[in-house]
Amino acid sequence: MLDGPSAPTFSDASNASTTVTFTDPGRYVLQLEAHDGTSGSTDTTTVWVNATVIPVEADAEVNSERAGMNFGATNFLTVNESHHAYFRFDLSSLTATPEGALLRLSTAEPGYTSVPREIRRVADDSWGEMTITWSSMPTPDSAVLATIGVDRGWMEADLTSTVATEYSGDQILSINLQPASSPSDWILYNTKD
């Protein structure tokens, strides 16, 4: 175990097929090490015990080149300097202030860029998935909550303090995703659809 709220119990840490038991809820980071006597390798994984998954309730792309058009029904969200993405989460299913909150986004196509994406909070939660446009989009906060990479697959960002703040407030969290700098080629993200 590299990180976690308490020590888990491994049935046999030296066995290639061991099991692990967790006694406390929370986020654990485990590392697997394999050695053959000559060389070795390691890999890590994150395990959330008793985690609540909150699915996105609304997601949409806005496009400055088609400022009046809505792209809420698309299967992919393009993010570059002229295309931004919006996500909204309903936090009311939580029963207490979360001890940790991780945003997970899945890329459908990584694009051809090395520019990370910035996540910003959006104070106005009243936007609609099927009505938001570039012309009507709420302005994101200037502060960057986190950045995510540009690889293919799952991207993760820690939003613990933001989710805790929103949970104490109206229990709705809206965020904006945009490139950290320009120029930036596109990245396609999967939508909830």
Side-chain angles (χ1 to χ4, degrees), residues 30-88:
L30 305 178
Q31 182 176 54
L32 173 67
E33 298 180 11
H35 302 277
D36 66 4
T38 306
S39 61
S41 183
T42 62
D43 197 6
T44 61
T45 188
T46 301
V47 177
W48 288 86
V49 177
N50 292 336
T52 301
V53 175
I54 299 176
V56 65
E57 74 170 8
D59 54 16
E61 174 185 321
V62 294
N63 180 340
S64 67
E65 296 164 348
R66 295 183 179 131
M69 286 185 70
N70 171 264
F71 297 92
T74 61
N75 290 325
F76 305 105
L77 303 174
T78 303
V79 177
N80 64 17
E81 56 267 0
S82 61
H83 298 71
H84 294 186
Y86 278 76
F87 303 90
R88 187 175 59 234

Side-chain angles (χ1 to χ4, degrees), residues 150-165:
V150 297
D151 297 328
R152 186 178 189 114
W154 287 99
M155 303 286 109
E156 297 179 345
D158 187 338
L159 297 184
T160 301
S161 63
T162 302
V163 170
T165 300

Side-chain angles (χ1 to χ4, degrees), residues 128-186:
E129 180 178 73
M130 302 309 289
T131 57
I132 189 173
T133 66
W134 187 274
S135 298
S136 69
M137 68 181 181
T139 304
D141 292 352
S142 58
V144 176
L145 301 175
T147 59
I148 57 173
V150 297
D151 297 328
R152 186 178 189 114
W154 287 99
M155 303 286 109
E156 297 179 345
D158 187 338
L159 297 184
T160 301
S161 63
T162 302
V163 170
T165 300
E166 291 296 323
Y167 177 75
S168 309
D170 66 3
Q171 298 191 341
I172 302 292
L173 171 63
S174 289
I175 58 172
N176 165 274
L177 187 63
Q178 61 182 283
S181 63
S182 184
S184 172
D185 286 326
W186 48 268

